[in-house]
């Protein structure tokens, strides 16, 4: 199931991406004499029961959104937290010439950084070393406090693609500004859809990025140093993870930071970045 959100009168509304197009979940449910949650946040609160309500709407739908003029919203618009894991792929640590960390390295972004699939993102004029980072993003489904690794994935609601956009000339300036360099408005695009957790194995997914069509990153989530279950176990040991929290799980090798100095091509206005993850789809954004 591919769940999306779109903007309707300034509020996020639920949709289903199907081969026929995007189903307007609320309208389709009304047509069938039932009701469904209005937006993703309400759906996450219902958990499996919500997914059982939505699933049938993808069969022979009538209430499809027009092909043009629909503005997608991020698949989650008001997460309590956007948590990010740094340096979590073996080959990425190698390209950065850094030792493997002994435990998940945590930083965060704020919700102002969220952007939707298809959205144009502004690169601030103050800096110039803008980089992409393809990442699997987990959306938490239930409160998780001190959960064991073996049961940690039970607390995930779904998965989406993310781009942990980074400003390298700020990240490594002034003593190391991880947060500030990664949380400009729009610097955490997610999408294009959310796939329910039960449909994917987060430890074995091909993940790639392309810039203007050119392949830059190509890996598999099996190269993660700390698999998602270990990340959730570790974070939830320190604080309670809540429904809707987003976890960016780190990026594989191939980011511009790891390229030789004389060949670096930082992102610039007019560029297009595509993040593709097996079983989810392709998140595409352009820059201005
Ligand atoms: Mg990252």
């Amino acid at each position: 199931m591919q769940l999306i959100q779109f903007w309707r009168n300034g509020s996020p509304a639920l949709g289903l991406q199907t081969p026929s197009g995007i189903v307007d979940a609320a309208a389709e449910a009304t047509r069938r004499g039932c009701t469904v949650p209005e937006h993703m946040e309400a759906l996450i609160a219902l958990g499996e029961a919500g997914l059982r309500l939505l699933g049938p709407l993808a069969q022979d739908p009538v209430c499809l959104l027009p092909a043009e003029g629909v503005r997608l919203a991020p698949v989650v618009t008001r997460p309590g937290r956007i948590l990010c894991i740094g340096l979590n792929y073996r080959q990425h640590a190698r390209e950065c010439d850094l030792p493997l960390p002994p435990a998940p390295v945590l930083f965060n972004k704020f919700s102002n950084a969220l952007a939707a699939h298809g959205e144009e993102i502004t690169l601030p004029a103050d800096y110039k070393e803008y980089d992409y980072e393809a990442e699997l993003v987990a959306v938490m489904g239930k409160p998780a406090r001190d959960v064991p690794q073996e049961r940690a994935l039970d607390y995930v609601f779904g998965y989406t693609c993310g781009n942990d956009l980074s400003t390298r000339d700020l990240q490594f300036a002034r003593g190391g500004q991880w947060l500030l360099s990664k949380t400009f408005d729009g610097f955490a695009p997610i999408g294009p859809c959310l796939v329910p957790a039960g449909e994917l194995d987060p430890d074995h997914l091909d993940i790639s990025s392309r810039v203007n069509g050119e392949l830059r990153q190509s890996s598999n989530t099996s190269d993660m140093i700390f698999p998602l279950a270990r990340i959730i176990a570790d974070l939830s040991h320190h604080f309670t993870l809540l429904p809707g929290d987003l976890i960016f799980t780190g990026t594989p090798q191939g980011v511009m930071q790891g390229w030789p100095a004389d060949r670096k091509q930082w992102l610039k206005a007019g560029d297009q970045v595509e993040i593709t993850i097996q079983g989810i789809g392709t998140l595409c954004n352009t820059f201005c």
Side-chain angles (χ1 to χ4, degrees):
M1 198 187 313
Q2 296 187 313
L3 302 161
I4 62 106
Q5 289 203 112
F6 61 96
W7 293 110
R8 176 156 44 208
N9 304 325
S11 298
L14 259 185
L16 283 162
Q17 182 74 58
T18 72
S20 321
I22 296 175
V23 180
D24 179 338
E28 184 67 26
T30 300
R31 188 182 76 80
R32 299 179 188 214
C34 57
T35 55
V36 292
E38 271 180 51
H39 45 66
M40 196 72 76
E41 205 172 298
L43 180 68
I44 293 171
L46 286 181
E48 287 288 328
L51 293 174
R52 283 195 295 273
L53 284 174
L54 274 176
L57 303 185
Q59 304 299 321
D60 305 317
V62 169
C63 300
L64 298 170
L65 295 176
E68 301 287 325
V70 175
R71 196 159 70 88
L72 292 182
V75 291
V76 176
T77 51
R78 293 192 306 174
R81 268 85 55 101
I82 303 175
L83 305 158
C84 308
I85 307 301
L87 215 64
N88 194 32
Y89 279 75
R90 292 178 186 86
Q91 292 191 61
H92 175 52
R94 209 164 292 144
E95 76 178 344
C96 294
D97 205 18
L98 290 166
L100 302 190
V105 175
L106 185 66
F107 66 95
N108 69 294
K109 294 179 184 246
F110 298 117
S111 57
N112 66 290
L114 289 176
H117 170 63
E119 206 169 316
E120 190 174 59
I121 297 165
T122 299
L123 300 172
D126 299 349
Y127 303 95
K128 63 178 189 301
E129 297 184 357
Y130 294 107
D131 208 348
Y132 48 84
E133 294 191 356
E135 306 208 4
L136 174 68
V137 178
V139 181
M140 294 303 294
K142 291 185 278 193
R145 173 65 185 152
D146 213 7
V147 299
Q149 186 169 337
E150 308 78 67
R151 290 197 291 109
L153 295 183
D154 297 347
Y155 293 78
V156 178
F157 181 77
Y159 301 103
T160 190
C161 306
N163 187 352
D164 172 16
L165 289 164
S166 306
T167 314
R168 304 303 185 193
D169 47 351
L170 174 58
Q171 184 177 355
F172 300 109
R174 294 196 280 171
Q177 298 286 352
W178 283 51
L179 189 156
L180 202 54
S181 66
K182 288 167 173 272
T183 201
F184 286 125
D185 293 349
F187 270 43
I190 53 173
C193 63
L194 183 154
V195 175
E199 298 181 22
L200 290 179
D201 169 6
D203 297 334
H204 297 92
L205 299 173
D206 290 336
I207 178 168
S208 64
S209 68
R210 289 177 186 272
V211 178
N212 302 326
E214 181 186 299
L215 186 67
R216 295 286 177 82
Q217 295 177 279
S218 179
S219 183
N220 188 281
T221 55
S222 60
D223 190 46
M224 283 188 192
I225 299 165
F226 304 106
L228 178 62
R230 166 71 197 279
I231 292 168
I232 291 170
D234 190 73
L235 297 184
S236 76
H237 184 66
H238 293 87
F239 58 91
T240 306
L241 290 164
L242 294 172
D245 282 354
L246 302 179
I247 304 176
F248 279 67
T249 56
T251 200
Q253 79 282 5
V255 296
M256 196 45 58
Q257 175 66 18
W259 281 42
D262 59 341
R263 291 178 52 212
K264 287 194 198 299
Q265 305 165 54
W266 301 112
L267 294 177
K268 58 187 187 312
D271 283 349
Q272 179 194 65
V273 177
E274 295 166 287
I275 309 293
T276 302
I277 298 179
Q278 184 181 3
I280 300 174
T282 299
L283 164 70
C284 181
N285 294 96
T286 52
F287 297 86
C288 62

